[in-house]
Amino acid sequence: MAEIAVNFLLNQLTFMLRDELKLLGGTREEVQYIRDELERTRAFLKVADAMEESDPELHVWVKQVRDVAYDTEDVLDEFMLWFAHHHGDRIHGAFRKISCYVKNLRARWRILSEIRRIKSRVMNISEGQGRYRYKDSISKHNSSSTVINDDTWYDRRGDALLLEEAELVGIDKPKQELIEQLVKESPGLKVVSVVGMGGLGKTTLVKKVYDDVEVRKHFETHAWITFSQSFKMEELLRDLIQQLFDEVRQPVPRIVETMNNDRLKAAIKDFLQQSSNNGSRVILTTRNIDVASTTCLKTHDHIYTMKALSPEESWTLFCGRTFQENHCPPHLEELSKCILAKCEGLPLAIVAISGVLALKDKSRIHEWAMIYRCLGGELETNNNLRSTKKILLLSYHDLPYYLKSCFLYLSIFPEDHMIECMRLIRLWTAEGFVEMTEGKTPEEVAESYLNELLNRSLIQVAGTSIDGRVRLCRIHDLLREIILPKSKTHYFLAIASERNPSWPEKIRRLSMHNTLGSLHNVSYFRRLRSLLMFGVEDPLSKSSMPILFNCAPSLLKVLDLRGASLETFPDEVVKLLHLRYLSLRGTKIEMLPKSIGNLINLETLDLKGTRVTKLPAEICKLHLLRHLLVYRYKVELYASFHSLYGFEALAKIGGLSSLQKLSFIEANHNACTSMRELGKLTQLRRLGILKLKREDGMALCSSIEKLSDLRSLSITSAEEDEIIDLHSLSRAPPPFLQHLYLSGCLEKLPLWITSLYNLTRLSLRWSQLRYDPLQSLQHLPSLVYLTLLQAYDAEELCFKAGGFPKLKFLYLVRLKELRLVRMEEGVMPCLEGLYIRNCKLLEEVPSGIEHLANMKVLELGDMPDNLISSLDRQSGGGDHWKIAHISRVWVGYLKDNCWTGHYL
């Protein structure tokens, strides 16, 4: 953890040494000394961070390093504020300069004094580092620097090899699936990888497969190897040779003892090649999907993703372990289910917590309630649960430092919270966790971090977009319980809630859950870098603003007030000159002050769901702004053409040259000028435009041609019958465009759309096309999602064989003249969902729908009664056979702008 703070600080020191310390004269050398010493310290911290838990003396040293890193960051950030004011003085008159001189001089000498004091502390810490060099040298003999030398905990994973199969729950199906993969006839080597988070029972499952009679009969020789984090290759290879020779009842040749790695590998290869050609098999367990993917490269290789126990299986295991029977006393049932919910189907956790509860008095409910309420503390102190904690943390200790900070940050969200991936990516970036990589934006690097944590099974996918990208993620409740105390102890972050209203003085990040917390320790705000609120219903009134913001540090970088009870923009916020991330999403504010232009470091401004419809011109001073979200939806989202409100386009919006996401601007004032300004925003990835008029189309097209990195484009015309003129874009449409949403009259489909080979999502609404669009769109190679809403009036739509090869979701909405839909055999082979709504004249379910073998969902909304009755098996509908293969068929109708209905 100290490594995280030191690395972030080193980046900041490098920047300041290069650009800004000239104003502090001779202090440059002292700052350079601090940087050099911390650089040397960082290498040792890679070992120390993993060892400190088992070494109290080393723990103190690491704490000292972390403290000095944080204190240095505070001083440097204060210097940055002084630097900003110093430059600001240049534009004021002489009297202003003279009046500020004394104040600036005092600030300068105070900063100088602090830097020199920190230099002295760094010298002392460097001397202390020498006392631990022996640990560094010891660790270098190991293949992994993250080994935890702690003899006080017992690794219960080995116990999994001793369990009887009758004791296991939920193992039958996965065991049989794996056996089929192993014994299935295929020549040559085949690798089967079992992947999943720690504690799912991967080792237990594979051991039962390994010992199965059918498997043992199928192969002549067998060997079982366990890789630890500190394994030595020679020992592992010799163990493998010993097992192989034992299998054939032959002594191991003595020469094996003197062989090096290469010769040992050659000996194993020679031995295995002497076996008969049954097809060798390797089965391995790993938490890391990248390891599994690397080993499974051949056609017949297989990756098996281990799943958590179902609620029913979890309850069976819990009761069997806790009460030695499949029965829970009624007075403990509700509490038991709450405790079990924390385990989320993780067998390791269920068994460990059951072992603790089994020793509790069944009549003393308060003891059980305490386990549930204080599970995080129990994981720290209870010997039976500490082993579980250590096992789950192995993956954390194996993380590189830049992923440790990202992972710990997940505990800032409430329990069971569905985390929006884009929100998380923007927060990581604003927090400074993301390292710059040439050729990539910070957001792209952060997304790779997210994928790496997913691949290491440390976070879970909670929702995906239609094109397969992870949209929502979450962290296992038990992992959150484990990392939250670690985050708090290391001053990384803390949670303030009704149960825990206070927080440590030196904490860097604070998340308030459901309450503003105890405000008696507002002085603790001064060290904060981030303040986030979740579910805080307390009104943020004018009286509470000074408490929160005047006492909050001017060094705050992240301020997330999403959903807070807030009606006016807090004036105190514009004093936070270090602020990089500001979210007021879902609040009731209506306007921003002109002083918003002071926030020159702002990267994200999230005003989605607010009542803001106009931004001050001063916002164009925010040259580092990358994400500008200002829009809100009407309640009747799908039913109305004007379902979205944005903000008035700014005449000089081209000054925001760093923008990556801009949504939604309304092209209703000075539209031609603002549309041309968009061409200066060459970093744009996502662009949303509302109220576009026909005469402004050419200016917009001219700008879009310059946006070569654009990935998503949404355009809505001023009125339903207002033509969107995009035909002049044919010369150079954005080559990487993935999402295209067009709402308004097109009359004719722009030809350039058919050249968008990366397009995955296309929505055509109120298009009033005169020609069938399907013939032009059917060969788009990457199209996954297609919506046609009041887009084309024809009595018949025909989807030709071979068309739409990747389409998974098709929406046909408000096609007023539509009577017949034909789907030729071989069309849309990947289609999973078909949604037909408000097509009043449709006479029958699409013909050929029976050929769509991958269909999972059919939704029919506000459709003719005779069509619905023809599909109903119970009423003897003659067309039911066409949809018999579809698992979910839903029939609905609109009521008060909401869909309601039933399943057939």
Side-chain angles (χ1 to χ4, degrees):
M1 278 300 302
E3 185 186 0
I4 299 169
V6 168
N7 192 76
F8 179 74
L9 178 58
L10 285 171
N11 292 335
Q12 195 171 358
L13 285 168
T14 301
F15 167 73
M16 296 189 70
L17 284 168
R18 186 181 69 236
D19 293 325
E20 292 168 351
L21 276 178
K22 55 183 179 290
L23 290 178
L24 287 181
T27 308
R28 181 182 183 88
E29 288 72 25
E30 291 167 316
V31 172
Q32 182 69 58
Y33 174 86
I34 294 172
R35 188 193 181 285
D36 292 345
E37 286 299 315
L38 289 176
E39 183 75 51
R40 283 187 284 271
T41 299
R42 179 173 62 173
F44 181 58
L45 282 172
K46 293 179 183 294
V47 178
D49 268 2
M51 296 170 60
E52 62 165 322
E53 291 189 20
S54 58
D55 188 328
E57 191 177 0
L58 185 59
H59 176 78
V60 172
W61 180 83
V62 172
K63 179 180 180 298
Q64 291 173 347
V65 174
R66 182 177 60 248
D67 287 348
V68 79
Y70 284 154
D71 290 345
T72 307
E73 183 189 357
D74 290 344
V75 172
L76 295 181
D77 282 347
E78 288 177 8
F79 166 75
M80 294 288 285
L81 286 180
W82 175 83
F83 178 79
H85 290 306
H86 182 93
H87 274 250
D89 288 340
R90 293 179 180 176
I91 64 173
H92 295 292
F95 180 79
R96 170 68 173 166
K97 290 183 178 180
I98 294 172
S99 64
C100 292
Y101 178 76
V102 174
K103 181 186 292 186
N104 284 337
L105 188 62
R106 288 174 179 170
R108 172 177 173 172
W109 282 108
R110 186 175 65 81
I111 292 169
L112 287 171
S113 176
E114 288 292 329
I115 288 176
R116 286 166 181 160
R117 185 176 63 85
I118 287 170
K119 177 184 176 182
S120 176
R121 290 171 63 188
V122 169
M123 292 173 67
N124 292 333
I125 288 173
S126 298
E127 293 173 4
Q129 179 183 344
R131 294 194 292 270
Y132 300 101
R133 287 293 182 184
Y134 74 96
K135 293 183 179 179
D136 192 17
S137 61
I138 291 173
S139 68
K140 289 179 181 177
H141 291 291
N142 298 324
S143 61
S144 172
S145 63
T146 57
V147 60
I148 304 172
N149 297 318
D150 184 357
D151 295 329
T152 62
W153 73 286
Y154 173 61
D155 188 345
R156 297 185 181 274
R157 290 177 296 174
D159 293 351
L161 308 182
L162 306 177
L163 290 172
E164 297 295 331
E165 195 157 330
E167 302 177 62
L168 304 176
V169 173
I171 197 174
D172 295 339
K173 182 180 178 182
K175 177 186 173 184
Q176 192 55 44
E177 290 173 347
L178 283 180
I179 290 175
E180 289 176 4
Q181 287 295 327
L182 292 177
V183 302
K184 186 185 298 182
E185 293 299 333
S186 59
L189 174 66
K190 178 179 181 179
V191 179
V192 178
S193 293
V194 180
V195 183
M197 73 173 291
L200 276 176
K202 300 183 294 296
T203 302
T204 304
L205 170 63
V206 171
K207 188 62 167 67
K208 297 309 168 190
V209 170
Y210 177 82
D211 290 336
D212 186 82
V213 174
E214 182 182 359
V215 173
R216 303 291 294 189
K217 286 181 179 178
H218 194 82
F219 302 99
E220 292 182 3
T221 55
H222 315 76
W224 177 278
I225 306 171
T226 300
F227 287 79
S228 68
Q229 285 191 304
S230 57
F231 74 90
K232 293 182 179 179
M233 183 58 73
E234 292 92 341
E235 293 179 2
L236 185 146
L237 294 174
R238 290 191 181 99
D239 179 35
L240 177 55
I241 289 175
Q242 180 70 56
Q243 292 189 56
L244 293 175
F245 274 86
D246 287 347
E247 286 279 311
V248 295
R249 294 184 173 86
Q250 293 181 13
V252 177
R254 291 185 179 180
I255 193 173
V256 167
E257 292 299 321
T258 62
M259 288 181 177
N260 60 21
N261 281 353
D262 293 335
R263 294 184 64 191
L264 288 169
K265 292 175 185 177
I268 293 171
K269 181 179 179 181
D270 290 341
F271 182 97
L272 293 176
Q273 285 180 334
Q274 295 173 18
S275 302
S276 60
N277 191 25
N278 284 346
S280 299
R281 299 291 184 266
V282 174
I283 185 168
L284 63 88
T285 67
T286 177
R287 304 180 185 194
N288 195 331
I289 188 65
D290 289 337
V291 173
S293 300
T294 302
T295 55
C296 294
L297 296 176
K298 297 182 180 179
T299 304
H300 299 290
D301 290 344
H302 181 69
I303 296 177
Y304 184 87
T305 302
M306 193 84 174
K307 297 179 181 178
L309 297 179
S310 68
E312 295 75 18
E313 292 168 338
S314 298
W315 183 248
T316 299
L317 179 60
F318 177 83
C319 291
R321 292 280 180 159
T322 306
F323 308 109
Q324 286 73 53
E325 57 187 12
N326 193 18
H327 174 72
C328 172
H331 67 284
L332 291 176
E333 184 169 337
E334 182 177 354
L335 195 52
S336 293
K337 289 183 176 179
C338 289
I339 295 173
L340 185 61
K342 292 270 190 181
C343 301
E344 296 188 41
L346 201 65
L348 174 72
I350 296 172
V351 170
I353 290 176
S354 297
V356 173
L357 295 173
L359 301 177
K360 299 291 182 183
D361 189 329
K362 307 298 186 293
S363 64
R364 305 184 68 178
I365 301 179
H366 70 278
E367 291 187 7
W368 289 57
M370 186 175 296
I371 292 289
Y372 171 67
R373 190 171 60 251
C374 305
L375 185 57
E378 290 288 327
L379 286 164
E380 292 288 326
T381 58
N382 191 300
N383 286 332
N384 290 324
L385 293 180
R386 284 184 71 232
S387 297
T388 301
K389 171 195 166 186
K390 295 283 187 179
I391 292 171
L392 293 178
L393 275 181
L394 286 176
S395 294
Y396 165 78
H397 287 300
D398 196 41
L399 289 173
Y401 73 89
Y402 60 86
L403 286 182
K404 285 182 178 178
S405 54
C406 293
F407 180 62
L408 290 179
Y409 196 78
L410 296 172
S411 61
I412 210 166
F413 297 96
E415 183 179 340
D416 294 325
H417 189 79
M418 297 295 114
I419 305 169
E420 298 165 45
C421 292
M422 278 311 303
R423 180 188 191 184
L424 183 62
I425 284 170
R426 292 176 190 137
L427 284 168
W428 281 349
T429 303
E431 294 280 3
F433 298 157
V434 178
E435 295 188 342
M436 297 301 296
T437 301
E438 187 174 356
K440 288 186 176 182
T441 66
E443 288 75 13
E444 289 170 339
V445 177
E447 186 174 10
S448 72
Y449 291 178
L450 177 67
N451 290 332
E452 193 168 350
L453 288 173
L454 285 166
N455 290 343
R456 289 171 177 265
S457 303
L458 280 169
I459 55 178
Q460 303 166 344
V461 175
T464 58
S465 61
I466 54 135
D467 49 3
R469 294 186 65 179
V470 180
R471 187 173 59 85
L472 297 172
C473 65
R474 65 183 302 275
I475 182 173
H476 193 285
D477 277 353
L478 211 58
L479 270 177
R480 183 179 179 276
E481 293 281 0
I482 290 171
I483 65 175
L484 192 52
K486 178 181 286 291
S487 298
K488 187 175 181 180
T489 301
H490 292 82
Y491 307 134
F492 184 77
L493 66 84
I495 305 298
S497 63
E498 293 176 352
R499 187 185 302 171
N500 301 299
S502 60
W503 54 88
E505 179 181 356
K506 295 182 180 181
I507 209 71
R508 309 300 277 186
R509 299 166 186 86
L510 181 65
S511 182
M512 292 184 165
H513 294 181
N514 304 316
T515 178
L516 288 177
S518 175
L519 295 180
H520 72 272
N521 53 356
V522 292
S523 61
Y524 291 3
F525 280 141
R526 297 190 184 280
R527 292 181 177 267
L528 286 182
R529 288 303 185 278
S530 304
L531 177 61
L532 297 88
M533 294 185 182
F534 294 91
V536 175
E537 297 181 357
D538 305 14
L540 294 178
S541 61
K542 289 186 177 180
S543 60
S544 62
M545 288 298 173
I547 297 177
L548 278 174
F549 297 111
N550 286 349
C551 293
S554 53
L555 310 179
L556 206 67
K557 294 179 180 178
V558 170
L559 180 59
D560 193 331
L561 303 180
R562 176 185 291 206
S565 181
L566 186 64
E567 296 185 356
T568 58
F569 185 89
D571 293 334
E572 296 82 359
V573 169
V574 298
K575 302 173 185 176
L576 306 176
L577 301 187
H578 277 287
L579 202 62
R580 297 180 181 176
Y581 181 101
L582 175 60
S583 176
L584 299 169
R585 177 181 294 204
T587 63
K588 297 179 181 179
I589 67 168
E590 297 182 359
M591 60 183 300
L592 302 185
K594 293 182 178 180
S595 52
I596 191 75
N598 293 345
L599 302 180
I600 57 174
N601 289 302
L602 200 63
E603 298 171 354
T604 294
L605 178 57
D606 187 351
L607 299 172
K608 182 179 177 180
T610 66
R611 299 175 182 178
V612 174
T613 58
K614 187 175 182 179
L615 298 178
E618 286 75 10
I619 206 163
C620 294
K621 297 178 181 179
L622 307 182
H623 301 302
L624 298 182
L625 194 64
R626 296 206 294 273
H627 307 280
L628 179 57
L629 291 73
V630 190
Y631 61 97
R632 62 186 174 95
Y633 290 102
K634 281 187 176 181
V635 176
E636 58 272 21
L637 173 62
Y638 211 80
S640 171
F641 178 81
H642 295 293
S643 59
L644 197 60
Y645 297 99
F647 68 97
E648 293 182 13
L650 297 164
K652 296 183 179 180
I653 198 168
L656 298 174
S657 57
S658 297
L659 271 185
Q660 293 182 20
K661 180 171 183 178
L662 174 59
S663 54
F664 280 81
I665 62 171
E666 297 183 352
N668 49 358
H669 295 294
N670 300 316
C672 188
T673 300
S674 56
M675 293 302 101
R676 292 193 184 280
E677 281 279 302
L678 293 177
K680 300 177 182 179
L681 306 179
T682 56
Q683 302 298 313
L684 271 184
R685 264 64 174 175
R686 297 172 64 93
L687 173 62
I689 300 172
L690 303 174
K691 300 183 180 179
L692 185 73
K693 295 183 179 179
R694 181 173 189 168
E695 58 265 28
D696 299 320
M698 187 170 293
L700 175 60
C701 289
S702 175
S703 289
I704 292 176
E705 288 176 353
K706 301 171 185 175
L707 307 181
S708 58
D709 283 324
L710 200 63
R711 310 300 166 87
S712 177
L713 176 62
S714 176
I715 301 175
T716 301
S717 61
E719 300 294 340
E720 279 188 41
D721 56 356
E722 181 86 37
I723 291 178
I724 303 176
D725 183 5
L726 299 176
H727 295 287
S728 61
L729 189 56
S730 299
R731 293 190 297 272
F736 305 114
L737 197 65
Q738 297 172 348
H739 299 167
L740 178 61
Y741 310 88
L742 300 177
S743 299
C745 182
L746 291 174
E747 293 187 338
K748 182 180 179 181
L749 194 71
L751 292 177
W752 54 267
I753 291 180
T754 61
S755 68
L756 299 175
Y757 298 112
N758 293 300
L759 194 67
T760 60
R761 186 165 187 154
L762 175 62
S763 176
L764 301 176
R765 301 170 14 129
W766 294 279
S767 305
Q768 301 180 35
L769 295 170
R770 297 176 180 174
Y771 307 101
D772 185 354
L774 299 182
Q775 305 309 310
S776 301
L777 301 175
Q778 63 179 337
H779 298 303
L780 286 172
S782 303
L783 194 64
V784 174
Y785 172 105
L786 174 63
T787 292
L788 299 176
L789 185 156
Q790 209 166 317
Y792 173 60
D793 281 337
E795 293 187 0
E796 180 179 338
L797 285 181
C798 181
F799 294 84
K800 299 285 188 179
F804 300 100
K806 294 289 183 66
L807 197 69
K808 290 186 177 181
F809 303 95
L810 174 61
Y811 287 78
L812 303 176
V813 184
R814 285 190 189 175
L815 304 180
K816 298 178 181 179
E817 304 297 326
L818 187 64
R819 295 179 179 274
L820 179 65
V821 177
R822 288 195 300 115
M823 297 176 172
E824 296 183 357
E825 188 170 0
V827 73
M828 298 182 286
C830 299
L831 195 71
E832 296 179 6
L834 175 59
Y835 307 82
I836 306 177
R837 296 173 181 167
N838 207 351
C839 296
K840 300 285 190 179
L841 300 182
L842 193 66
E843 297 173 352
E844 61 181 44
V845 69
S847 65
I849 195 172
E850 63 272 16
H851 301 311
L852 303 177
N854 289 312
M855 276 274 289
K856 298 180 176 67
V857 178
L858 172 64
E859 288 193 7
L860 302 170
D862 226 7
M863 302 295 288
D865 291 340
N866 62 322
L867 187 152
I868 302 303
S869 60
S870 72
L871 302 176
D872 192 345
R873 183 201 300 269
Q874 294 181 351
S875 63
D879 285 339
H880 183 270
W881 66 273
K882 296 181 180 179
I883 61 171
H885 64 293
I886 303 175
S887 57
R888 194 181 82 175
V889 180
W890 185 83
V891 175
Y893 58 91
L894 272 175
K895 182 179 181 181
D896 299 327
N897 289 318
C898 294
W899 286 102
T900 183
H902 64 278
Y903 292 100
L904 286 182

